[in-house]
Amino acid sequence: MANPWRGEVALVIDGERHLMRLTLGALAELEAELTSGSLVDLVQRFETGGFSTRDVLALIVAGLRGSGWKGRTADLMQAEIEGGPMAAARASAELLARAFMTPESADDGV
C-alpha cells in the first residue's frame, strides 16, 4: 500500500507494482524536463484538465526516479500500464498533489 504521508503513489507497470514519489531532486529533474512553464504551471494544467500525455509521462518518470528507479523516459515508451492512459493520468495527478501535501493533510485523508 502507498504511504500518503510520504507522498507515495502506486502504479503497475508491465505487471510489476511500483511506488512513486516526488522528492526534491525528482521535482528539480521534472522541472528541467518540462517543455513549457514551471511546476506551478504544471499543477494548473492538471487542475484545469489541460495536461498533456507528455506531462503524465514526465511525472511518472520523475516519481519512479524519486523512488530509486534508474530508468529513463525511453524505457517506458512501450510499457504496459495497468488501467491504461486514464490510470496513468490519475496516478500522475495524485502524485503531484501528494508532493505538496502536508503531513497533517495526509492524516486527515485529504
Side-chain angles (χ1 to χ4, degrees):
M1 174 177 219
N3 182 341
W5 184 80
R6 290 183 55 186
E8 293 175 336
V9 174
L11 188 64
V12 177
I13 303 169
D14 288 335
E16 184 178 337
R17 186 174 184 267
H18 294 269
L19 288 179
M20 303 182 296
R21 80 176 145 196
L22 291 175
T23 61
L24 187 57
L27 284 167
E29 221 176 85
L30 172 62
E31 193 164 37
E33 290 294 315
L34 292 176
T35 56
S36 63
S38 66
L39 287 175
V40 172
D41 296 323
L42 179 64
V43 169
Q44 289 174 342
R45 287 196 297 273
F46 270 85
E47 287 177 343
T48 63
F51 59 90
S52 67
T53 54
R54 179 177 284 151
D55 291 333
V56 171
L57 186 58
L59 273 161
I60 289 172
V61 169
L64 290 169
R65 293 189 49 84
S67 291
W69 185 67
K70 303 296 184 205
R72 300 173 305 131
T73 302
D75 298 327
L76 295 179
M77 296 305 283
Q78 299 297 318
E80 168 112 15
I81 295 178
E82 186 175 285
M86 290 304 294
R90 276 192 301 275
S92 297
E94 187 174 343
L95 184 63
L96 191 57
R98 287 185 181 190
F100 299 101
M101 182 184 289
T102 64
E104 295 79 24
S105 299
D107 290 341
D108 292 341
V110 173

